[in-house]
Amino acid sequence: MRLLIVDDEPSILELLGVALKALGTYKVKTATSAKQALQMIEGKPREFDAFLLDIQMPEMNGIDLCAELRRNDLYKNAPILMLTAMSQMSYVEKAFEAGATDYVTKPFNFEDLKQRLNAARKLKYSKAAAGETEDAPSLMRSVLYHESQDFSSELDFSKVERFIGSAEFENYVRQMSLSKASQTCAFALRVANGAEINVQTSSMGFYKTMMKVAQELVQGTQSAGSLLCYAGNGIFLCAEHGNRLTDTEKLERAIATALAKGTFSGPRPEIAIGEHAEMEGFDPASGPKLLEDAIERAKQRAVFLVDPDSSNVTHISSAPVSRTATPYVQRPQRPPQPAQSKARPDRQAYEKMLLDSLRNG
C-alpha cells in the first residue's frame, strides 16, 4: 500500500515512515504541510492508496485537506486516516463529515494503527472486488446493464449533507466511545416495505425513493447536526450525543407526512423510527452493540402510516406501536471535564512510545 503521511512535525514523520516501511507492506512518502501534499498529487496520475493526516497544521488543517482530497476524482474513495492529538468530538465530527475513513488519536498504539490501516485496505479491496470502483459504482452498473439493485447493499449518499459511508459510520461511533462522548445514542429508521420497492421499481427508481427518505431524515435532524448513514436493507442510522437529541416520535410523524405527499414511481415508502438506544460503556464492543440495539428497536416499531388522501394527518398504523419496557430517559449531563490542552504531546515521550511499539511489533 502506498501511503502519504502529512504532519508538520518532522520527527513524527520520520518515526512513522521507518515503522511502516519496516512492515514491508507499505511504501511511504511524507509531506510537512497540506500545501506540499496537494502539490504532490496535483495534475499527476494516482500515486497513493491511502493517507495519514494530522489535524493541527498551519495555513490549512488536516480536516480541510481531507475535504480537498475528496474533491479529487482519483482519491474520492481512498482511505484517509486522521492521526491527531485532537480527541474532542467537534473535531471527530468535522473529520468524518469531511470524508475521513477512520480517526486515530495520539499518542496511539502502533499495533492499533496497523489494524486500522489493514481494515482500511480490506475495505478498499472489498469494494473493488464488488465492482464499486470510481468508474463503475454498483448503482450505476445496475442502471446501465438493467440489473437489480441488491437490497442489502449500501447506496451512495455521499453528496447528501451529513451522510457518510456505513464503514466510516461504524468507525465514527467507535471513536465516540473512545472519546467518551456524553450520552452517546443512536436511532434507526426502517423502510418497512423497502424490499417490495426494490422489486417493483427500477434501480434508479429505488435509489430516488431512498434518496427522498434520506433528504427528509437530513431535514428532520438538522437542529441536532447528527451524522447519518444508510446501512442497506432499508435501514438508516443516526448517531447523536450530549443534549442534541432528536425527538424521534416527532421526526417519525414529520417524515411519514412528507412521504405521504410525495410522488413515487413505485410503492410509497412506509417507515418506522425506533427510540434511541444508549451506549452502555466505553469499550470497543460498545459501538457495534449500540447500532445493533438501535436497529432492533426500529424493527420492533410498528409502521407509521399517513393517509395521503386525507386533509387531516392521522396515525393509522394497523398494529399498536411497540414500546420498550423501559423507555429511553436522558441521563443528567456529566460534570464538565477540564479543558483539554491543545499543546502537542511531549516529543520525547511520544518518540519513545513509537519506538517501543516498533520493537515489540
Side-chain angles (χ1 to χ4, degrees), residues 46 72-78 124 127-128 130-145 156:
R46 184 186 177 102
N72 187 316
D73 288 341
L74 295 178
Y75 299 108
K76 63 182 180 182
N77 292 322
K124 176 179 180 293
K127 287 186 175 181
E132 296 180 8
T133 65
E134 287 86 347
D135 298 325
S138 61
L139 175 65
M140 186 59 69
R141 287 189 300 105
S142 64
V143 171
L144 289 174
Y145 300 110
D156 182 11

Side-chain angles (χ1 to χ4, degrees), residues 115-130:
Q115 292 177 1
R116 303 284 188 96
L117 281 169
N118 287 335
R121 178 167 54 181
K122 288 178 181 178
L123 175 64
K124 176 179 180 293
Y125 289 156
S126 66
K127 287 186 175 181

Side-chain angles (χ1 to χ4, degrees), residues 49-219:
D49 299 312
F51 300 85
L52 293 179
L53 309 181
D54 185 29
I55 286 183
Q56 278 190 302
M57 294 187 292
E59 297 184 13
M60 177 186 288
N61 63 41
I63 294 175
D64 291 339
L65 173 58
C66 178
E68 283 295 322
L69 290 172
R70 290 303 185 214
R71 295 186 187 102
N72 187 316
D73 288 341
L74 295 178
Y75 299 108
K76 63 182 180 182
N77 292 322
I80 299 177
L81 281 69
M82 309 307 294
L83 191 61
T84 175
M86 310 308 296
S87 61
Q88 297 97 322
M89 280 306 301
S90 59
Y91 289 97
V92 175
E93 289 176 340
K94 289 177 182 177
F96 277 100
E97 193 169 359
T101 305
D102 207 344
Y103 196 102
V104 183
T105 306
K106 298 177 184 176
F108 59 88
N109 177 283
F110 190 70
E111 185 62 33
D112 178 57
L113 177 59
K114 288 193 293 185
Q115 292 177 1
R116 303 284 188 96
L117 281 169
N118 287 335
R121 178 167 54 181
K122 288 178 181 178
L123 175 64
K124 176 179 180 293
Y125 289 156
S126 66
K127 287 186 175 181
E132 296 180 8
T133 65
E134 287 86 347
D135 298 325
S138 61
L139 175 65
M140 186 59 69
R141 287 189 300 105
S142 64
V143 171
L144 289 174
Y145 300 110
H146 306 287
E147 300 172 353
S148 296
Q149 174 70 22
D150 184 357
F151 181 53
S152 65
S153 67
E154 184 178 350
L155 297 175
D156 182 11
F157 293 137
S158 59
K159 297 188 183 299
V160 181
E161 180 185 3
R162 293 186 283 111
F163 261 84
I164 60 178
S166 60
E168 290 79 3
F169 188 83
E170 291 175 7
N171 290 337
Y172 167 64
V173 171
R174 179 184 60 204
Q175 189 60 39
M176 292 173 80
S177 171
L178 296 176
S179 297
K180 299 183 178 180
S182 63
Q183 299 172 168
T184 301
C185 304
F187 69 85
L189 180 154
R190 173 174 63 97
V191 180
N193 61 338
E196 178 186 357
I197 297 170
N198 185 49
V199 170
Q200 295 189 22
T201 61
S202 65
S203 293
M204 185 55 71
F206 175 71
Y207 179 76
K208 287 182 177 180
T209 297
M210 291 299 169
M211 173 65 81
K212 177 63 176 174
V213 177
Q215 290 170 337
E216 293 298 334
L217 184 57
V218 167
Q219 180 66 27

Side-chain angles (χ1 to χ4, degrees), residues 273-292:
I273 298 181
E275 294 177 331
H276 284 92
E278 187 173 7
M279 189 170 291
E280 297 177 355
F282 298 120
D283 57 80
S286 297
K289 186 178 186 305
L290 172 69
L291 300 183
E292 290 172 4

Side-chain angles (χ1 to χ4, degrees), residues 260-273:
K261 298 176 181 178
T263 301
F264 301 93
S265 59
R268 190 182 309 279
E270 300 173 357
I271 68 157
I273 298 181

